[in-house]
């Protein structure tokens, strides 16, 4: 298998869509191959960058060059706005790795190639430019795993002997001369011939038995002293510590979180309205 290192430098973006209405965006990028989360890498968040973030973040990947030449590998860049109540996706860029291989000028081990691509929005329009650089390393081969020595071979012990999945059948019991087949369980020892016969009259019926104690009459439920009913439960006294201070602190925290939540909701509502017919970005 022919593999090749790919080094990326995520540089910047310019004039991308602003998905925040009241605050400046905190933008970061998630980079992956074919959108697979197992290959995903993330840039730092550029605080209050707005529509023109910068990162200059270096990432390294390893690609299968044969699959890349067959156009099976794409670089996926997802630009996101970091927000308190859930991050908002700004747009994305997809670049076939085959296109980067075709643009290589022969000295990819020395210099980075700088490229720019338009940022695709969720509605299919483009807004803004995304800039990055790339460089391919030297090819190397990964040796294929050796096949098993015989079909169905599993794991091995030290010495080359296969490990059996289940233990062998039990051995060591007496043979047919003892009155039972070899490999079966022996008869129970003397003195243990099964359960005894029931006593005369049979076993008592199943369930709880109610009866009377001789000389005292029927012993049923005796109510507690003082009549029926549950005992009175004492109510715990409420603590009066920190009443006003705690309430004021909770009120301030709730107001802050509520304001941030309303801000994000207004942002989403405004963006939905723009995308439905008021969008002026072409």
């Amino acid at each position: 298998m022919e593999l090749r290192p790919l080094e990326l430098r995520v540089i910047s973006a310019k004039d991308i869509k602003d998905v925040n209405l009241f605050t400046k965006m905190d933008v970061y990028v998630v980079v992956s191959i074919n959108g697979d989360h197992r290959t995903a890498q993330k840039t730092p968040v550029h605080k209050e960058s707005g529509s023109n973030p910068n990162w200059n973040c270096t990432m390294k990947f390893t690609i299968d060059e044969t699959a890349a030449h067959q156009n099976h590998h794409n670089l996926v860049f997802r630009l996101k706005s970091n927000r308190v109540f859930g991050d908002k996706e700004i747009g994305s860029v997809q670049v076939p790795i085959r296109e980067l291989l075709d643009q290589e000028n022969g000295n990819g081990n020395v210099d980075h190639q700088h490229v720019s691509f338009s940022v695709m929005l969720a509605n299919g329009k483009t807004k803004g430019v995304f800039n990055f650089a790339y460089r391919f390393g030297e090819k190397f081969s990964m040796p294929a795993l050796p096949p098993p020595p015989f079909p169905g071979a599993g794991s091995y012990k030290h010495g080359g002997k296969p490990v059996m999945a289940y233990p062998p059948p039990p051995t060591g019991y007496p043979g047919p001369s003892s009155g039972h087949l070899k490999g079966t369980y022996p008869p129970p020892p003397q003195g243990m011939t099964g359960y005894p016969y029931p006593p005369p009259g049979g076993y008592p019926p199943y369930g709880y038995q109610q009866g009377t104690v001789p000389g005292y009459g029927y012993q049923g439920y005796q109510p507690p002293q003082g009549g029926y009913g549950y005992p009175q439960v004492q109510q715990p006294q409420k603590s009066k510590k920190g009443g006003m201070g705690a309430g004021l602190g909770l009120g301030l925290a709730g107001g802050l979180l509520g304001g941030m939540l309303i801000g994000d909701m207004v942002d989403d509502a405004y963006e939905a309205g723009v995308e439905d017919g008021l969008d002026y970005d072409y």
Side-chain angles (χ1 to χ4, degrees):
M1 180 185 297
E2 293 289 335
L3 303 178
R4 197 165 185 184
L6 171 61
E7 181 177 299
L8 298 178
R9 187 166 74 241
V10 181
I11 301 174
S12 63
K14 183 179 180 181
D15 196 27
I16 59 176
K17 182 177 180 179
D18 192 346
V19 297
N20 289 8
L21 184 60
F22 298 108
T23 59
K24 276 194 171 184
M25 293 190 299
D26 302 332
V27 186
Y28 66 94
V29 184
V30 178
V31 187
S32 63
I33 297 179
N34 295 336
D36 190 346
H37 67 90
R38 295 172 296 181
T39 64
Q41 300 185 43
K42 176 183 172 182
T43 67
V45 177
H46 187 175
K47 294 288 186 179
E48 298 185 355
S49 60
S51 298
N52 301 289
N54 292 275
W55 302 283
N56 287 317
C57 177
T58 301
M59 302 177 180
K60 294 182 179 181
F61 297 89
T62 301
I63 63 168
D64 183 349
E65 188 173 21
T66 302
H69 277 296
Q70 295 174 354
N71 208 20
H72 294 164
H73 285 339
N74 294 325
L75 282 175
V76 180
F77 303 87
R78 299 176 62 188
L79 286 72
K80 293 189 174 186
S81 174
N82 186 31
R83 305 202 301 190
V84 177
F85 295 100
D87 296 351
K88 181 74 173 179
E89 184 157 347
I90 303 169
S92 62
V93 177
Q94 295 194 27
V95 181
I97 298 180
R98 176 181 177 179
E99 182 176 338
L100 302 181
L101 288 170
D102 293 340
Q103 293 180 3
E104 188 182 10
N105 58 4
N107 59 348
N109 296 328
V110 179
D111 299 329
H112 284 81
Q113 298 287 331
H114 291 259
V115 290
S116 299
F117 292 89
S118 298
V119 179
M120 181 72 67
L121 305 180
N123 58 8
K125 299 179 180 180
T126 59
K127 172 64 174 170
V129 177
F130 178 73
N131 307 303
F132 72 95
Y134 69 95
R135 177 176 66 181
F136 288 101
E138 292 288 346
K139 300 179 184 180
F140 66 94
S141 299
M142 175 181 289
L145 297 177
F150 55 89
S155 58
Y156 288 84
K157 294 181 180 179
H158 295 291
K161 297 182 179 180
V163 178
M164 299 182 64
Y166 297 96
T171 57
Y173 292 122
S177 60
S178 61
H180 62 278
L181 298 177
K182 183 177 181 181
T184 61
Y185 292 98
Q190 295 182 0
M192 296 181 63
T193 58
Y195 296 102
Y197 289 100
Y203 291 110
Y206 177 78
Y208 294 101
Q209 304 299 316
Q210 296 182 354
T212 58
V213 180
Y216 293 94
Y218 176 73
Q219 301 295 320
Y221 172 76
Q222 299 296 330
Q225 297 293 332
Y228 291 92
Y230 294 96
Q232 184 177 2
V233 179
Q234 295 182 359
Q235 299 293 334
Q237 297 182 358
K238 298 182 178 180
S239 175
K240 299 181 179 180
K241 295 182 179 180
M244 182 177 296
L248 180 60
L250 292 175
L252 291 175
L256 178 61
L257 293 176
M260 299 174 69
L261 177 59
I262 291 174
D264 284 350
M265 292 174 62
V266 171
D267 291 345
D268 294 339
Y270 174 79
E271 182 183 355
V274 169
E275 291 180 354
D276 288 341
L278 302 178
D279 195 352
Y280 51 84
D281 295 327
Y282 296 94

